[in-house]
Amino acid sequence: MKIAFIGLGIMGKPMALNLIKAGHQLRVYDRNAATIAELKAAGATACSCSAETVEGVDLVLTMLPNSPHVKSVMLEDDKLAEKMPKTAAFIDMSSINPVASREIAAELAKYGIDMLDAPVSGGQPKAIDGTLSFMVGGKEEVFNKFKPVLEAMGSSVVLCGDVGAGNVTKLCNQTIVAVNIAALAEAMQMGQMCGVEPQKIFEAIKGGLAGSTVMNAKAPMMMDQNFQPGFRIDLHIKDLNNVVDAAKAVDAPIPLTQQVLEMMKILHHDGDGSCDHSALLKYYQKLTGEVLHH
Ligand code: NAD
């Protein structure tokens, strides 16, 4: 399939590489030109603007930071909705506000263009391995047509409902991950302060009910004081702000999300916004003056 791919950051670049490996023809663009070289070397057509990517394609994919970026590319500044072939479809894989997904889909529908929102979970390692989990919103026939494209980047591809349902599901994912990391940091710090080695706490409980993918990935990072992203605190703040907006619209109670969002905002103001979200531990370390060790 001939595919336009816009947004080649931490996630987009390895995802695009997996599409090339699966035999798709890619036309790529990122406003950071440095990221394009590796894809060009792998066989993609490097484009000098987003409008150039959509020439003659069957599908347009975006992997951008947030709603304003996707709106800017599709509707406002680059206006790809006007420029892309009307026979092509649009799949946004960014994690954005579901309200924005529905607005963009409604605008595209005026041109007869179908859209899926298909955010992912799994982070950079799974983007590289091609084992991401996709949560998708949109029409079933459009989903069935493009599922094989998503399967070239992910090992789980689930249709969750109409357009916007993918991003609602992603917000659920982001709440669960944020609260989980905060609970892990809180417990490890408390355990060490009560005199038990953090490594022993991890080893003893990781196989029980408290064990989780979050624990296996983030506890070693916390004990190593390794906060290289991964997934940046600032991006998680973006997601939790989207949770707050979505919850407000339907009056859903989210006290745990609000609490962890406040903790992340404090870290952002302290200059830790570019750290991995496992740096929620720093919130506790700053309060107690004690650093978690092995
Ligand atoms: P990133 O900041 O590394 O990449 C975003 C890319 O978009 C950058 O290379 C940037 O130059 C480019 N960009 C921004 N505006 C542009 C524009 N107008 N035109 C062209 N390019 C533009 O972010 P990322 O970590 O790759 O995340 C992308 C999305 O995936 C986000 O919505 C994020 O929440 C989500 N996500 C990230 C992870 C993760 O672990 N990093 C995991 C799951 C989901």
Side-chain angles (χ1 to χ4, degrees), residues 179-193:
V179 173
N180 236 298
I181 296 176
L184 176 66
E186 186 167 302
M188 297 284 275
Q189 185 81 9
M190 182 272 295
Q192 176 175 297
M193 292 175 77

Side-chain angles (χ1 to χ4, degrees), residues 15-26 28 39-40 42-44:
M15 291 164 79
L17 284 170
N18 282 327
L19 288 175
I20 295 170
K21 274 189 215 145
H24 297 290
Q25 287 172 264
L26 257 66
V28 300
L39 283 156
K40 196 177 171 190

Side-chain angles (χ1 to χ4, degrees), residues 9-11 30-31 63-65 95 120 123 230-232 238:
I10 291 178
M11 298 295 285
D30 190 295
R31 66 180 174 198
M63 192 54 171
L64 296 163
S95 305
V120 302
F231 191 72
R232 291 194 300 276
K238 175 263 299 184

Side-chain angles (χ1 to χ4, degrees), residues 6-12 29-32 35 50 63-66 69 72-73 78 93-96 120-124 132 170 174 230-232 235 238-239:
I6 300 146
L8 308 163
I10 291 178
M11 298 295 285
Y29 174 69
D30 190 295
R31 66 180 174 198
N32 172 11
T35 64
S50 63
M63 192 54 171
L64 296 163
N66 198 8
H69 307 83
S72 157
V73 167
D78 304 0
M93 304 182 294
S94 328
S95 305
I96 72 170
V120 302
S121 98
Q124 190 187 28
L132 290 166
K170 175 67 183 176
Q174 292 309 83
F231 191 72
R232 291 194 300 276
L235 273 181
K238 175 263 299 184
D239 288 334

